[in-house]
Amino acid sequence: NKTAFVELLFWKSPAAAYEMAKGYGSLQEGEGAARSRVPPWTPQEEQELRELYWKYKEVEGEDVIAAILAHLPTPGRTRRQVVKQLVRM
């Protein structure tokens, strides 16, 4: 790659560095950064999250996020995703 020196001036993820070395488009679908994409929150999920937060935020001695995760209708959400979404909202 004749323009690699320009590419190296900027931060690269491991997936971008692999593509730069092996050729652009060399990553298959579902590899690299695309694999780690989180499905977006739907308005219904946001509303449910809001309701669960208001329901469990005042409970003494209980982890609010753990209670939300236990009652969240959509399985597969992680603790980090829930916290990030609550902060965003």
Side-chain angles (χ1 to χ4, degrees):
N1 189 347
K2 294 180 181 180
T3 59
F5 66 93
V6 176
E7 292 274 6
L8 294 174
L9 294 174
F10 302 99
W11 166 253
K12 299 288 182 232
S13 67
Y18 178 83
E19 277 197 322
M20 194 175 89
K22 300 292 183 183
Y24 294 102
S26 61
L27 283 179
Q28 299 298 320
E29 187 66 33
E31 291 183 27
R35 174 184 58 179
S36 64
R37 283 213 181 108
V38 177
W41 288 79
T42 64
Q44 294 82 11
E45 288 176 325
E46 286 182 357
Q47 181 62 30
E48 184 69 26
L49 183 62
R50 190 174 290 114
E51 290 171 6
L52 287 170
Y53 172 74
W54 286 107
K55 181 178 179 182
Y56 292 109
K57 78 176 193 129
E58 298 295 329
V59 177
E60 290 290 326
E62 187 176 336
D63 184 17
V64 176
I65 304 301
I68 290 173
L69 282 170
H71 294 93
L72 204 59
T74 308
R77 295 286 184 184
T78 64
R79 182 179 182 89
R80 174 179 251 178
Q81 291 170 347
V82 170
V83 170
K84 188 175 180 179
Q85 185 64 21
L86 283 171
V87 168
R88 190 189 68 75
M89 291 180 359

